[in-house]
Amino acid sequence: MDIKEGKHSILMVSDFFYPNFGGVENHIYLLSQCLLKLGHKVVVMTHAYANRSGVRYMTNGLKVYYVPWKPFLMQNTLPTFYGTLPIIRTILIREKISLVHGHQAFSTLCHEALMHARTMGYKVIFTDHSLYGFSDIGSIHMNKVLQFTLADVTQAICVSHTSKENTVLRSGLPPEKVFVIPNAVDTTMFKPAPERLSMDPIVIVVISRLVYRKGADLLVEVIPEVCHLYPNVRFIIGGDGPKRVRLEEMREKHSLQDRVDMLGAVPHAKVRSVLNSGHIFLNSSLTEAFCIAILEAASCGLLTVSTRVGGVPEVLPDDMIVLAKPDPSDMVHAIKKAIRILPHIDPQEMHRRMKEMYSWHDVAKRTEIVYDRALRCSNQTLLERLPRYLTCGAWAGKLFCLVMIIDFILWRLLQLWQPDSEVEPVPDFKRTELKRG
């Protein structure tokens, strides 16, 4: 692939990528595709999935390294601190990478890659896709890890203004180093049904991982109440997770087998057909930085009912979404309001507005600006960078400095064992554009 002058060679790193499906996975893939079209070189690094290991190529020559690390918990690899240094160094040198872009604070591989990349003098970007609290034990530990990673990050990106505020508070990162670039939706893939659906029955669609954070417990209380108030309402629930059992028990208890369809996990290629079978999209998340599922539903012409949490109020205009508190009674009230205004909703007009508001090409252009700004930042030595880690806490700061010093020593030993000049670079190739006659 020819890299034009002024273009970048980017390594995207996260534990979350295809064949796994989710918001982060889609974001990395679609952003990478648009950056490729802009003339940049993009390589993705993730962990192995089942028997998918080694190097694979995806659409438009997107190269993916499935490194031989198996997931340990929730698709995350086991933290090794220094175990990934040799393979990350090799990839960075072989692919002639100019900057590293890590995604998602949950990702162990992301944190380790950013740490090693900074040790080796690369510019690093971090995108935060989630919101975290400040009081529970899990969030406290996660926030300290994030503080360590972002202490020396070149630039950061958040998907909403609420997410930016949350990230700055958790990490202590200067606000001027954090950019807000929202997610987008592929409007060519998510289109309304050619013919408008009949309003009898009214179908409410839920597509979500059935976990506590996504508000599955709220659905258990909301669905029976709505079915009681509106005999002509049906629910379609797509998704899987530990809370699926509770929803199935609710369906049995209230004898709603004929009105609540449980589809299980829905492949991303079939999400559009599920959305096009409904009128209203219901999102019950308890925390959300930016919900791509809402964009996909709106692009298919569905009116959205959602909890007013995190960055959700920033996603759609008021006439395309009905917001509610994460409370069963308030959500039922919001669904009643949505049913009243449903006859005035034009799916085709909603799709047209989504095409104007959200574009992955626009996201890529804005991300490109962040890359340019990062590469203009001055290079710093280890001694100049260490004071940033000391600000992370009385004991944590000293520990983080020790971690970075050891990482620097190991990197130097690797250079002695195998100098950069002995690592064979990957030859660039020209991608032939296929034109349809």
Side-chain angles (χ1 to χ4, degrees):
M1 181 182 296
D2 287 338
I3 306 299
K4 300 175 185 177
E5 187 178 349
K7 298 301 181 181
H8 312 307
S9 184
I10 305 145
L11 178 66
M12 300 278 186
V13 186
S14 182
D15 278 304
F16 308 102
F17 195 65
Y18 293 132
N20 198 46
F21 286 100
V24 178
E25 292 85 345
N26 286 344
H27 180 103
I28 296 172
Y29 174 76
L30 293 169
L31 174 60
S32 298
Q33 290 295 331
C34 289
L35 288 170
L36 286 170
K37 290 177 182 176
L38 290 172
H40 301 285
K41 175 181 177 180
V42 184
V43 178
V44 178
M45 176 182 167
T46 187
H47 63 71
Y49 281 88
N51 61 347
R52 185 178 295 223
S53 183
V55 178
R56 302 290 180 96
Y57 286 89
M58 302 182 75
T59 307
N60 293 325
L62 176 62
K63 189 175 186 178
V64 185
Y65 282 89
Y66 289 95
V67 298
W69 259 257
K70 294 295 183 181
F72 166 66
L73 180 67
M74 296 174 63
Q75 291 302 333
N76 273 296
T77 48
L78 182 70
T80 64
F81 285 97
Y82 309 114
T84 52
L85 175 58
I87 194 167
I88 289 173
R89 172 179 175 262
T90 302
I91 292 172
L92 291 174
I93 297 171
R94 280 177 57 79
E95 297 291 344
K96 293 174 280 192
I97 298 297
S98 55
L99 58 85
V100 179
H101 190 168
H103 292 263
Q104 186 62 309
F106 278 130
S107 173
T108 306
L109 195 61
C110 165
H111 289 292
E112 293 187 5
L114 296 187
M115 178 181 76
H116 301 322
R118 286 302 293 140
T119 295
M120 289 181 273
Y122 290 89
K123 302 297 190 299
V124 300
I125 315 291
F126 173 76
T127 295
D128 201 354
H129 295 265
S130 301
L131 297 176
Y132 299 87
F134 298 90
S135 55
D136 61 285
I137 192 71
S139 294
I140 292 170
H141 282 84
M142 191 71 253
N143 293 344
K144 186 57 71 175
V145 172
L146 189 69
Q147 194 176 21
F148 165 63
T149 299
L150 298 193
D152 196 27
V153 78
T154 314
Q155 305 288 341
I157 297 172
C158 292
V159 294
S160 67
H161 292 280
T162 302
S163 175
K164 175 180 176 177
E165 182 180 342
N166 182 263
T167 299
V168 168
L169 287 172
R170 287 158 49 216
S171 66
L173 199 64
E176 61 270 16
K177 292 180 72 172
V178 185
F179 296 81
V180 176
I181 303 177
N183 287 313
V185 61
D186 184 357
T187 52
T188 60
M189 179 177 180
F190 292 93
K191 299 178 180 179
E195 297 182 7
R196 189 160 184 167
L197 298 176
S198 167
M199 297 289 286
D200 189 19
I202 295 173
V203 179
I204 299 176
V205 178
V206 178
I207 299 181
S208 169
R209 281 180 287 119
L210 302 180
V211 295
Y212 171 78
R213 191 174 70 86
K214 292 295 184 178
D217 295 302
L218 282 174
L219 296 176
V220 172
E221 299 186 51
V222 168
I223 291 174
E225 182 65 21
V226 173
C227 288
H228 174 72
L229 291 171
Y230 296 96
N232 66 328
V233 167
R234 288 180 54 243
F235 283 85
I236 296 177
I237 301 176
D240 208 347
K243 295 291 183 179
R244 178 174 178 172
V245 175
R246 283 210 65 195
L247 286 164
E248 290 178 340
E249 289 174 347
M250 172 273 295
R251 189 170 66 162
E252 295 287 336
K253 178 181 177 181
H254 296 277
S255 301
L256 297 174
Q257 291 89 339
D258 59 334
R259 298 180 62 186
V260 179
D261 293 335
M262 302 285 293
L263 303 182
V266 179
H268 194 253
K270 296 184 179 179
V271 169
R272 178 198 168 193
S273 63
V274 176
L275 290 172
N276 281 342
S277 62
H279 303 85
I280 296 171
F281 180 76
L282 179 59
N283 172 55
S284 58
S285 293
L286 301 181
T287 175
E288 199 77 71
F290 189 103
C291 187
I292 293 182
I294 290 177
L295 296 185
E296 294 172 347
S299 185
C300 287
L302 275 70
L303 178 63
T304 298
V305 175
S306 175
T307 45
R308 188 191 298 271
V309 295
V312 170
E314 303 175 31
V315 177
L316 293 175
D318 292 342
D319 61 331
M320 296 171 70
I321 187 171
V322 181
L323 297 170
K325 297 175 184 176
D327 173 77
S329 59
D330 203 48
M331 288 189 68
V332 170
H333 179 74
I335 292 172
K336 289 164 68 175
K337 180 180 177 181
I339 290 173
R340 284 199 305 272
I341 65 176
L342 195 57
H344 307 290
I345 298 297
D346 182 354
Q348 297 296 338
E349 173 63 17
M350 189 177 288
H351 176 74
R352 185 191 64 78
R353 291 173 65 186
M354 290 300 296
K355 287 176 68 175
E356 294 175 355
M357 286 191 291
Y358 289 103
S359 160
W360 279 110
H361 181 73
D362 179 58
V363 171
K365 293 289 287 184
R366 294 166 71 176
T367 305
E368 190 179 41
I369 294 170
V370 179
Y371 291 162
D372 293 337
R373 178 163 173 165
L375 289 169
R376 287 196 298 268
C377 293
S378 59
N379 295 319
Q380 293 182 312
T381 64
L382 176 65
L383 291 177
E384 290 173 323
R385 290 164 42 226
L386 286 179
R388 299 179 187 173
Y389 294 99
L390 288 173
T391 63
C392 295
W395 293 101
K398 295 179 178 64
L399 178 62
F400 294 162
C401 284
L402 180 62
V403 169
M404 295 307 297
I405 291 169
I406 294 173
D407 197 48
F408 183 83
I409 293 170
L410 291 173
W411 171 54
R412 287 301 191 187
L413 290 173
L414 278 173
Q415 284 187 312
L416 289 173
W417 178 60
Q418 186 184 32
D420 292 2
S421 58
E422 292 185 7
V423 180
E424 183 184 4
V426 174
D428 291 332
F429 64 90
K430 293 182 180 181
R431 176 164 52 88
T432 304
E433 298 290 344
L434 298 177
K435 295 182 180 180
R436 294 183 179 179

